[in-house]
Amino acid sequence: MASLVSSFLASFLASSCPLCDRTGHPFCPDCERQLKRCQLAQPLAHWRGPVPQLSWGRYQGQLKQAIRHLKYHHQPQVAQPLGHWLGQVWLGHQSRLRLGQSPVVVPIPLHPARQAERGYNQAQLLAEAFCRTTRLPLAPGLQRVENTVAQYSLSAAERQQNLASAFAPNPAWTNRRSQTVLLLDDIYTTGATVNSAAIALNRQGIRVVGVLTVARAIQPKGGDTG
Ligand SMILES: [Zn+2]
């Protein structure tokens, strides 16, 4: 109930910036300028390998703050502009990706217990905004079957282990024959989360053709760790 009330208040106060409370929608001009500074100049730099990946921006500065507000400060309205911007990048680059058939978009699910605590799944909200912009279909392709410990405290190897059996295809998603999937999440760090989700879908013969995230953490030593 508390989350419903605060969602209502959030929409009622939608003309104030969710990051700093100054006037502006969806962000005030200052926050928007700082957010746009995080945008990646080459979003296709990591579109390669078995699970190619595309992000809108770097996980730093104001974009990091925005995602924290979305996940931990109960600001679900932050998902709309971020998902829309990711959608614009997708529309600007999709013709170069040669995906063949049109994929469906599957958000990375939260465990039901964590979703109940937060009141929403931020990846679902981002995917809804992304799909409104791109007109791609959204599918509830996955369920989270294990409530894993928070990833940020773990090493890359520990993350993969932590998530090894965290996901399963959603039995409620019946229209999945011969579908190709784009996974969508808020942040790409080591890739452990999306790799685990892709493995769960691959076991059912569902092909993941790419991973989309709003932000990508830049690894300190250059190269990827997963
Ligand atoms: Zn602001």
Side-chain angles (χ1 to χ4, degrees):
M1 192 55 172
S3 72
L4 272 178
V5 171
S6 49
S7 291
F8 174 76
L9 280 176
S11 61
F12 186 72
L13 298 170
S15 61
S16 70
C17 175
L19 307 186
C20 71
D21 289 334
R22 284 177 290 188
T23 306
H25 177 75
F27 302 107
C28 73
D30 193 38
C31 287
E32 178 154 340
R33 195 166 43 243
Q34 291 181 53
L35 279 164
K36 292 283 173 79
R37 267 191 225 134
C38 304
Q39 185 171 3
L40 289 165
Q42 296 181 312
L44 293 187
H46 297 279
W47 194 267
R48 56 173 187 249
V51 187
Q53 198 263 326
L54 176 151
S55 299
W56 178 82
R58 286 175 210 277
Y59 186 58
Q60 64 181 31
Q62 197 67 319
L63 183 56
K64 193 171 183 174
Q65 289 306 318
I67 290 173
R68 283 185 178 163
H69 276 73
L70 170 62
K71 289 169 77 170
Y72 306 119
H73 299 173
H74 205 87
Q75 302 277 12
Q77 73 274 32
V78 170
Q80 168 56 36
L82 298 185
H84 172 63
W85 292 347
L86 182 60
Q88 286 180 315
V89 168
W90 173 260
L91 290 176
H93 293 87
Q94 59 167 351
S95 63
R96 292 164 56 190
L97 305 179
R98 298 198 175 90
L99 290 178
Q101 71 176 128
S102 185
V104 299
V105 177
V106 173
I108 296 293
L110 289 179
H111 189 272
R114 192 169 298 172
Q115 182 162 338
E117 200 178 295
R118 190 167 293 169
Y120 52 89
N121 171 11
Q122 72 279 355
Q124 171 78 27
L125 300 185
L126 290 166
E128 287 169 7
F130 176 86
C131 289
R132 275 194 293 274
T133 296
T134 60
R135 308 280 177 128
L136 288 176
L138 182 65
L142 284 165
Q143 57 179 339
R144 197 141 187 161
V145 289
E146 279 180 15
N147 199 2
T148 49
V149 302
Q151 290 282 93
Y152 57 79
S153 59
L154 305 177
S155 73
E158 287 168 335
R159 283 172 188 235
Q160 199 66 65
Q161 184 60 35
N162 183 36
L163 286 158
S165 52
F167 299 101
N170 183 357
W173 181 34
T174 51
N175 185 24
R176 62 194 192 192
R177 188 163 297 185
S178 76
Q179 284 288 8
T180 56
V181 161
L182 286 170
L183 292 173
L184 195 146
D185 204 2
D186 49 359
I187 312 165
Y188 184 100
T189 307
T190 63
T193 304
V194 289
N195 287 342
S196 174
I199 289 166
L201 290 173
N202 289 341
R203 278 197 205 109
Q204 301 292 313
I206 302 161
R207 198 159 64 91
V208 175
V209 293
V211 170
L212 311 176
T213 63
V214 168
R216 183 184 173 96
I218 305 302
Q219 300 300 329
K221 288 177 73 181
D224 298 328
T225 58

